[in-house]
Amino acid sequence: MTRAASHALACLLISASTLAATPPSKPLVTPAGNISDGRIRVQLIARNAVTLSGEIAAKIAALPVPEGGSFSKGQALVQFDCGSYRAQLHKAQASLEAATQLLKVNNQLAKLNSAGALDIAQAEGKAKEAAADTSYMQTLVGKCVINAPFNGRVARRIAAVHQYVSPGNPVLDIVDSGALELRMLLPSKWLTTLKPGKKFTVSVDELGSSFPARIERLGAQIDPVSQSILAIGVIEGNGSSLLPGMSGWASFK
């Protein structure tokens, strides 16, 4: 055996003995949490979190509620500059009025045998077409304002006032200001003792405070890989200081 080979073999033997003497590392915490002491990682989620998008191509005229601001259900959150759409609506309404008058005159002439069936049919067709155009433009104008679907707060402004947006472009992220949900992954073997209504305590990292909570519902299926199941909890009592996105530990006795 050459001197280089002898040196390499000696290094391998030393490495192997060092690894054998090193104690095994601490097992990693499972995705469900530190289940050895009954603690599970939990995240606070708003029941409703929505990204509002425009349904028409227009320039944003106003965003009345600032980031972090509160709003009520039905309140205007986004207002678009819809001058051109309203002008087209007025034009469609004028066409509808003219077509309606023409149909009325033709019906009167028909009673005097001065208008034929073809004239009446054509007038009816124009009136229906004008009514359809008017209805379409009324629908577009109705989309010039986006109203709040629930009570909540503005989480983020994605677009700005005076910015032109196309249909489907996101404008605002909003979150429900009601009770928050506590989402966590529980070991599936806990299902034998853990049911909806089960009490537990949540320690929130950002606040350094603990809150009483209970399990509201369990997920519909078990993840076979992690052997865990989704659980949804709610805070009991006053949780006004809590915000979506906070996290902490859920402790089960």
Side-chain angles (χ1 to χ4, degrees), residues 67-68 154-158 171-174:
E67 284 188 344
V154 175
R156 182 168 67 109
R157 281 186 175 181
I158 305 173
V171 178
L172 291 179
D173 284 340
I174 61 173

Side-chain angles (χ1 to χ4, degrees):
M1 180 180 297
T2 63
R3 179 176 298 178
S6 299
H7 179 71
L9 179 60
C11 291
L12 289 174
L13 292 175
I14 293 173
S15 299
S17 60
T18 301
L19 290 174
T22 301
S25 59
K26 184 178 180 180
L28 295 176
V29 176
T30 66
N34 189 9
I35 62 176
S36 61
D37 60 358
R39 295 200 308 157
I40 300 293
R41 285 300 293 177
V42 62
Q43 186 173 12
L44 281 71
I45 304 292
R47 290 183 180 271
N48 296 297
V50 180
T51 298
L52 298 181
S53 302
E55 297 184 62
I56 58 175
K59 183 173 66 175
I60 298 176
L63 297 172
V65 183
E67 284 188 344
S70 300
F71 55 82
S72 302
K73 182 178 180 179
Q75 182 178 343
L77 298 180
V78 184
Q79 297 174 356
F80 294 101
D81 182 358
C82 288
S84 61
Y85 291 109
R86 291 190 176 92
Q88 294 179 54
L89 173 59
H90 295 157
K91 180 180 178 180
Q93 290 172 336
S95 298
L96 175 59
E97 183 178 355
T100 302
Q101 290 297 327
L102 178 61
L103 178 60
K104 183 179 179 180
V105 169
N106 283 343
N107 284 328
Q108 291 175 347
L109 292 175
K111 294 178 181 179
L112 301 174
N113 295 324
S114 297
L118 179 60
D119 295 328
I120 295 177
Q122 289 177 340
E124 288 178 345
K126 290 181 179 180
K128 290 180 180 179
E129 181 180 0
D133 290 341
T134 301
S135 178
Y136 174 69
M137 291 310 305
Q138 287 175 338
T139 301
L140 287 183
V141 171
K143 299 180 184 299
C144 291
V145 177
I146 302 179
N147 296 319
F150 46 75
N151 298 331
R153 300 176 67 184
V154 175
R156 182 168 67 109
R157 281 186 175 181
I158 305 173
V161 177
H162 307 305
Q163 180 177 339
Y164 183 89
V165 295
S166 299
N169 285 2
V171 178
L172 291 179
D173 284 340
I174 61 173
V175 294
D176 189 354
S177 59
L180 300 176
E181 289 186 346
L182 307 171
R183 288 179 174 258
M184 66 200 97
L185 290 176
L186 301 179
S188 57
K189 64 181 180 180
W190 285 16
L191 289 176
T192 56
T193 58
L194 192 146
K195 303 295 181 183
K198 174 73 175 180
K199 306 286 186 178
F200 62 96
T201 302
V202 176
S203 177
V204 180
D205 296 340
E206 289 80 1
L207 301 178
S209 303
S210 297
F211 300 85
R214 59 178 172 82
I215 296 294
E216 186 175 66
R217 62 186 185 277
L218 298 174
Q221 63 180 7
I222 294 174
D223 184 354
V225 178
S226 62
Q227 293 185 328
S228 61
I229 185 172
L230 175 67
I232 309 297
V234 292
I235 298 291
E236 293 187 325
N238 184 16
S240 58
S241 58
L242 301 174
L243 294 174
M246 290 182 174
S247 60
W249 290 95
S251 300
F252 294 86
K253 296 181 180 179

